[in-house]
Amino acid sequence: MKVYTTLQALEADLTVSRGCSVALGFFDGVHLGHQAVIRAAATDAAENGRSAAVFTFQLPLSSTMKGGRLQDEAEKHRVMESLGVEHYMEPPFEDVCGLSPEEFVDQILHRGFKARAVFCGDNFTFGKKAAGNVEMLRQLCAPLGIRVQVVPMTQYQGAPVSSTRIRAALAAGDIPAVNAMLGRPYRIGFAVRHGKGLGRTLGFPTINQIYPEGFAQPKYGIYITRVKVNGQWYAGATGFGTRPTVNTTGEGATCETFIPDFSGQLYGEEPELEFYEYIAPSQKFDTLEELTACVNGAAAKAKEYFARHPMDE
Ligand SMILES: Cc1cc2nc3c(=O)[nH]c(=O)nc-3n(C[C@H](O)[C@H](O)[C@H](O)COP(=O)(O)O)c2cc1C
Ligand SMILES: Nc1ncnc2c1ncn2[C@@H]1O[C@H](COP(=O)(O)OP(=O)(O)OP(=O)(O)O)[C@@H](O)[C@H]1O
C-alpha cells in the first residue's frame, strides 16, 4: 500500500493513472461499517481494472474533533492494507479543511485520484465546514463521470455502527460490543514502561502500558486480555485505572497486565494487547494480600476463558 500525505505526491504517481475506486472518510477504528465501504471500493477496482484507494486525513492527537482515537496510525495502515487498499492518501487535516466541496471533488478526486467511482456511507460529509453531503457529492461527480456508491449503513443490535458508538461502548467496559462492531478484538500496542516493581515482589509482575494523550480509554477496571510475545499469544489479566490501593502520588491511569504463563523482560517493547471481557471494577484494598488475591483471581479467570475459547491467530 502506498501512503501519500500530499496531493502532489499522489498526482506524481503514474500507477494511479488507470483510475481509482476511492473510499472516503476518516475511518477511525476501521470498523465493520468502514470495512463495508472499503471492500466495496476494492471490489469495484478489481472488477474494473482500477486501483483501490482511500482518501482520509490526519488529525493531531490533540484534536477533539473526532473524539479519542481507537487505534494508532500503524494499526490503521495494517488494517487498510489487509482490505486490499493500494493507494492511501492522508494529508494533514489543515491542508484540506479549507477546500470547498467543488474544490475537493475537482482537486482531490478528479485530478488527484483520477477517480472513476467513489464510496461512502449515508452520513458522509466533506469540504469546508462539512458543507458537502452525499447529494452534493453526486451532483459534483456526475459531470466528471465519477459514479457515487452509497453503502448501506452496517448495523449492530438495531443501530448503525460508528466510531462514536464504539468509543462509548469502550468507556462503558462493553468489550463484546466493541469487538463485534470493530469486527476484530480491540487492541493496543503501546510501549512497556517501568512501573514501581511492586507487582514483582508480590508474585505478579506486570507490563505497564500508558495510553498516550488523545486515545479513547476503556472503563477503569479489570479485564480478560491476551498478549502477543515473540509471536505467541498468552492469556493476560489487565488492570486499567489509577491503582487506588498503591497510588500515593495521584498518578494517572496505567494499563497493567499480568501474564501468568510468561516470564521475561518486555521493557521498551510494544506487545499487542487484545481485550476480551470486563470482569470487575478496580478497588482500594486494605491490604496487599487482598490485591494479590484479586490479581491471581483475574489471572485464573483469563486462563479459564481461553481454555473455553481456544486462541487462534
Ligand atoms: C489484573 C489486575 C488487577 C488489578 N486490580 C487492581 C485493583 O483492584 N486495585 C488497585 O489498586 N490496583 C489494581 N491493580 C494494579 C496493581 O496495584 C499494580 O499492578 C501493582 O501495584 C504493581 O504495580 P507496579 O507494576 O508498579 O509494580 C491491578 C493489576 C492487575 C494486573
Ligand atoms: N455503519 C456504517 N456503515 C457504512 N458506512 C459507514 C458506517 N459508518 C460510517 N460509514 C462511512 O464510512 C466512512 C467513514 O466514516 P467516519 O470516519 O465518519 O466514521 P463514523 O463511524 O461515522 O465516525 P464518527 O462516529 O466519529 O462520526 C464514511 O463514508 C461514512 O459515511
Side-chain angles (χ1 to χ4, degrees), residues 30-50:
V30 199
H31 60 57
L32 284 183
H34 298 155
Q35 291 170 34
V37 173
I38 295 160
R39 284 208 176 91
T43 303
D44 183 75
E47 286 174 357
N48 294 285
R50 301 179 194 135

Side-chain angles (χ1 to χ4, degrees), residues 262-284:
F262 173 80
S263 67
Q265 162 68 272
L266 292 171
Y267 290 124
E269 294 196 24
E270 298 178 343
E272 279 176 60
L273 176 73
E274 289 186 347
F275 287 64
Y276 285 84
E277 267 183 16
Y278 172 89
I279 315 178
S282 315
Q283 294 179 58
K284 187 171 181 0

Side-chain angles (χ1 to χ4, degrees), residues 22 41 64 91 112 142 161 198 225 245 252 258-259 263 266 287-288 291 301:
V22 191
T64 51
V161 173
L198 179 63
T225 57
T245 310
F258 173 42
I259 313 170
S263 67
L266 292 171
T287 64
L288 293 176
L291 172 65
K301 284 203 172 99

Side-chain angles (χ1 to χ4, degrees), residues 195-199 204 206 208 222 237-239 243-246 256-258 282-283 285 291 294-295 298:
K196 291 188 181 136
L198 179 63
F204 64 91
T206 57
N208 299 353
I222 303 170
T238 297
R243 318 185 308 162
T245 310
V246 295
E256 309 216 358
T257 302
F258 173 42
S282 315
Q283 294 179 58
F285 293 106
L291 172 65
C294 166
V295 173

